[in-house]
Amino acid sequence: MSKVSPKKHLGQHFLVDQNIARKIVEQLTLPQGVEDVLEIGPGMGVLTQYMLEHKEYRTTVLDIDRESIAYLQQHFPQLGDRIISADFLKTDLSTLFPGKFAIIGNFPYNISSQIFFKVLEHRDVVPEVVCMIQKEVAERLASPPGSKAYGILSVLLQAFYTIEYKFTVHENVFHPPPKVKSGVISVVRNDRQSLPCDEKLFFSVVKNSFGTRRKTLRNCLKTFNLPPEVTALPVFDKRAEQLSVEDFIALTQLIEQNK
């Protein structure tokens, strides 16, 4: 097998620039005690080959594409049973690793947000993610409050992770070239163990707040049926993108007290 055919329905765009591949792998910092790294969507192993140069961690690769799996088994036999044919979004991650593990990958654009929502669910065992995603999404995740790009996933991820935009990758280094640029980000777990408010309510408040970006929180949060004396507070004059993670925590606490 000489190469894998990129499949449009899987959102496959294979990186062909070796220097960029090595540079992406070099972004992994691996917090102390982390010895496993899971690569999502390795394709033909352009990142995998450089990961295997790092003996300080064990590399496991997971791909939904059977053709890619066959290619990896042929070209990276040293991985053995650490080549996994599965859908990451449907995989029980606790069956793969006994402890903490980092994640790396050139994520398919169409499921990158879903991957991060799953990372959030497993944040206690995923201390680091290094990935290449659509540039617009990468910028959104790393955006601070007040930015037009700042959104739901920015807040939810930044509540538990420090996100850094590393570099931009142009379309011409992929086969086939995507229609947009890509961005590489580093997502590293922060010190927050849990939220000082109801977590489900926090997620709901954030999602509702960004429901209509041009509206104030007073309009976006009507479904919570808060008393007039609460919605008269100055915070409700603001729009969602003006609030930091800490502001959203305080807002959630306020709603908790007045439900």
Side-chain angles (χ1 to χ4, degrees):
M1 182 183 292
S2 59
K3 62 179 181 178
V4 175
S5 302
K7 298 164 189 65
K8 190 173 183 179
H9 73 281
L10 293 178
Q12 289 177 327
H13 296 276
F14 296 129
L15 178 67
V16 295
D17 188 305
Q18 300 297 321
N19 290 328
I20 292 174
R22 184 186 290 276
K23 191 176 176 183
I24 292 171
V25 172
E26 286 173 353
Q27 304 307 313
L28 275 172
T29 61
L30 251 64
Q32 189 173 4
V34 178
E35 297 178 347
D36 284 292
V37 180
L38 173 65
E39 182 184 0
I40 299 173
M44 290 182 282
V46 66
L47 299 185
T48 314
Q49 60 184 325
Y50 297 114
M51 294 170 66
L52 290 172
E53 294 177 359
H54 291 265
K55 305 305 179 187
E56 68 271 26
Y57 57 77
R58 286 181 297 271
T59 296
T60 299
V61 299
L62 182 151
D63 207 303
I64 195 172
D65 179 26
R66 291 181 181 178
E67 189 181 359
S68 292
I69 291 295
Y71 182 96
L72 294 163
Q73 288 170 336
Q74 181 180 337
H75 291 83
F76 299 96
Q78 65 270 46
L79 282 171
D81 60 3
R82 286 182 283 117
I83 299 174
I84 300 168
S85 178
D87 180 345
F88 174 78
L89 297 177
K90 296 178 181 177
T91 300
D92 180 355
L93 299 180
S94 65
T95 64
L96 298 184
F97 306 103
K100 294 183 177 182
F101 61 97
I103 291 175
I104 192 171
N106 173 16
F107 295 170
Y109 292 158
N110 56 341
I111 63 165
S112 59
S113 293
Q114 293 167 270
I115 290 173
F116 278 114
F117 278 116
K118 183 155 185 170
V119 166
L120 274 171
E121 291 174 17
H122 295 82
R123 60 183 178 269
D124 291 338
V125 292
V126 181
E128 182 180 20
V129 179
V130 169
C131 65
M132 179 163 54
I133 54 180
Q134 186 174 339
K135 182 174 184 282
E136 180 186 324
V137 178
E139 289 174 336
R140 184 182 306 146
L141 298 186
S143 289
S147 163
K148 287 183 179 180
Y150 187 68
I152 294 171
L153 201 47
S154 316
V155 177
L156 299 182
L157 269 178
Q158 289 176 29
F160 298 101
Y161 288 90
T162 299
I163 305 170
E164 187 177 343
Y165 188 97
K166 293 294 188 177
F167 56 91
T168 300
V169 181
H170 293 270
E171 304 94 321
N172 58 357
V173 298
F174 294 91
H175 172 68
K179 294 180 180 178
V180 293
K181 289 179 173 55
S182 301
V184 174
I185 57 171
S186 160
V187 182
V188 178
R189 191 75 168 83
N190 63 25
D191 294 331
R192 194 195 306 276
Q193 296 304 308
S194 61
L195 296 176
C197 61
D198 182 277
E199 187 175 301
K200 284 186 179 179
L201 182 60
F202 174 80
F203 277 49
S204 179
V205 168
V206 172
K207 288 178 182 179
N208 279 275
S209 296
F210 283 98
T212 310
R213 290 187 72 98
R214 293 183 181 179
K215 290 188 176 181
T216 64
L217 295 174
R218 188 173 292 111
N219 286 304
C220 292
L221 300 178
K222 282 182 177 178
T223 54
F224 291 100
N225 298 314
L226 297 167
E229 62 270 23
V230 174
T231 57
L233 294 170
V235 67
F236 288 91
D237 293 325
K238 295 184 176 183
R239 293 182 174 86
E241 63 267 21
Q242 295 176 275
L243 272 62
S244 67
V245 170
E246 301 305 325
D247 292 333
F248 272 111
I249 289 172
L251 179 60
T252 304
Q253 291 171 331
L254 180 65
I255 292 172
E256 267 186 296
Q257 294 160 12
N258 290 278
K259 281 176 71 178

